[in-house]
Amino acid sequence: MFANVPTVLTPLRARLLLVLAVLLAVLTPTAPEALAAGKPETGAARPGAEVVAVTRVADRQVDLTVRSTALGGRTVEVRLLTPDGWNPHDRRHRQHWPTLWLLHGCCGDYTSWTSMTDVAETESLRDVLVVMPEAGWNGWYSDWWNHGQGGDPAWETFHTKELRHLLERDWGASSNRAVAGLSMGGQGALLYAARHPGMFRATAAFSGSAHPLLNDESVDRIMGFFAGQDNDPLRVWGDPVAQRGIWQAHDPFHLARRLRSIPVYLSCGDGTTGPLDAPGATSALEADFNRQNHALAAELKRVGARHVTTHFYGPGTHGWAYWERELHASLPMLLGALGVGD
């Protein structure tokens, strides 16, 4: 049908083709409409993050497959626990919901919170969009140093910039946010709140790595995690002496002043056998994190933080039964900061 189109365009024809191209670009469906059927997008990856597939996995649970520039163009999953009435496909009446980020721990993934706790059945979360992003087996919620080269993986950039913008543009998230996490994710929740002032209105850490520079034992322990899956441990934050500034910039204790103005919830057991443990169970990891959390709590008090809640419950190991309990205990604070249930 284009056999008779002249090979040399007149100025009028060129302007008409330009207008047609602009109209096509404007009218082309974008996420989430283009992905309503759960079909992957095709074509080259664009800078930033883009959803390439959508999967409904259960009632109120939707998994987004997200391709990320910060992660070298790889795709990772993000699970959403959606509020009642959530419909991001309705652009005319789209609502933006208060958002609670739940961060998983080391050796877990984006499914951990829904598979290991009752979060999906928690009634108080039916008016909140809960975001549970993938953060790598041992990503540590950081943009890795990579011997000074940076680049993949840049988990912090993916979460706080790429994914945040994507969710708020297309998936019903609002700028009214709180964050909580366990273990590695507890450190992530504290780091994100401290390193991005104003991004989160409250933060909670359950058995979190709250002061990895506390002592040699704490440094050696986290370096052991960094070395997991045959990884070079120096890729994450570098050497704890030579790159001390990078380590301090990722240690919540050294960022305590930045947490003074928001509610903070810290909880941890002491590593001995607790009421939710099998007989004789102990945890040196929990004992270490307990010391770290006490140090952070004291530092928060020293710098004048006025909204700190601590629950250092004594006997208890590093396990999901405690983290589920602590999530429920902290929800009034977290949701209160979001204005939910007022």
Side-chain angles (χ1 to χ4, degrees):
M1 63 181 289
F2 299 106
N4 296 322
V5 174
T7 56
V8 178
L9 298 178
T10 66
L12 177 59
R13 186 179 296 274
R15 286 196 295 272
L16 289 172
L17 289 175
L18 178 60
V19 170
L20 178 61
V22 171
L23 287 173
L24 286 172
V26 171
L27 295 174
T28 298
T30 56
E33 284 84 350
L35 297 167
K39 296 179 180 179
E41 289 182 343
T42 58
R46 297 189 297 271
E50 60 179 339
V51 173
V52 296
V54 182
T55 306
R56 184 171 294 278
V57 295
D59 181 43
R60 296 177 52 229
Q61 293 183 48
V62 175
D63 286 354
L64 307 180
T65 302
V66 181
R67 182 162 50 210
S68 164
T69 299
L71 301 177
R74 292 182 288 118
T75 59
V76 294
E77 303 296 317
V78 178
R79 177 156 294 180
L80 303 180
L81 178 62
T82 63
D84 292 337
W86 180 80
N87 183 11
H89 308 312
D90 183 356
R91 286 188 176 270
R92 285 182 104 183
H93 306 99
R94 179 181 298 166
Q95 185 171 349
H96 288 81
W97 301 84
T99 303
L100 173 63
W101 290 58
L102 288 182
L103 308 183
H104 70 76
C106 176
C107 320
D109 62 21
Y110 70 101
T111 69
S112 295
W113 277 104
T114 52
S115 62
M116 301 299 294
T117 75
D118 63 355
V119 64
E121 290 77 46
T122 300
E123 287 297 315
S124 60
L125 294 176
R126 299 191 75 94
D127 294 321
V128 177
L129 177 63
V130 182
V131 177
M132 294 163 281
E134 179 60 53
W137 186 86
N138 61 346
W140 291 94
Y141 296 91
S142 302
D143 291 356
W144 285 22
W145 182 62
N146 282 327
H147 300 282
Q149 299 302 308
D152 181 29
W155 290 107
E156 183 175 6
T157 294
F158 169 60
H159 292 142
T160 64
K161 294 182 179 179
E162 292 183 347
L163 180 59
R164 173 170 64 89
H165 293 156
L166 183 68
L167 294 173
E168 292 173 11
R169 186 188 69 208
D170 294 327
W171 299 94
S174 76
S175 59
N176 184 15
R177 316 175 200 91
V179 62
L182 65 101
S183 193
M184 177 182 80
Q187 177 175 291
L190 295 168
L191 285 181
Y192 284 1
R195 288 170 59 86
H196 302 272
M199 181 172 173
F200 294 103
R201 298 191 179 189
T203 184
F206 318 129
S207 302
S209 175
H211 186 13
L213 283 170
L214 175 65
N215 54 34
D216 288 345
E217 177 187 351
S218 299
V219 170
D220 290 345
R221 179 166 280 109
I222 199 169
M223 286 289 281
F225 282 114
F226 289 171
Q229 295 186 318
D230 297 322
N231 180 56
D232 174 359
L234 298 182
R235 287 183 60 202
V236 186
W237 299 337
D239 182 87
V241 176
Q243 281 74 47
R244 191 73 168 187
I246 297 175
W247 276 72
Q248 290 178 338
H250 292 88
D251 185 325
F253 177 90
H254 290 281
L255 303 174
R257 288 185 179 275
R258 300 187 186 184
L259 295 169
R260 287 182 299 179
S261 62
I262 64 171
V264 177
Y265 184 97
L266 302 175
S267 68
C268 201
D270 64 13
T272 62
T273 309
L276 304 180
D277 293 309
T282 60
S283 173
L285 173 63
E286 189 76 357
D288 180 19
F289 285 0
N290 186 56
R291 292 187 289 271
Q292 293 185 29
N293 275 271
H294 275 85
L296 175 57
E299 181 68 2
L300 286 167
K301 181 178 180 180
R302 188 188 73 81
V303 301
R306 291 173 294 176
H307 309 288
V308 179
T309 301
T310 60
H311 186 203
F312 301 137
Y313 42 86
T317 62
H318 204 68
W320 277 102
Y322 295 102
W323 303 329
E324 179 181 78
R325 185 188 70 185
E326 294 306 305
L327 173 63
H328 284 282
S330 64
L331 278 178
M333 182 208 80
L334 295 166
L335 298 180
L338 295 176
V340 175
D342 291 350

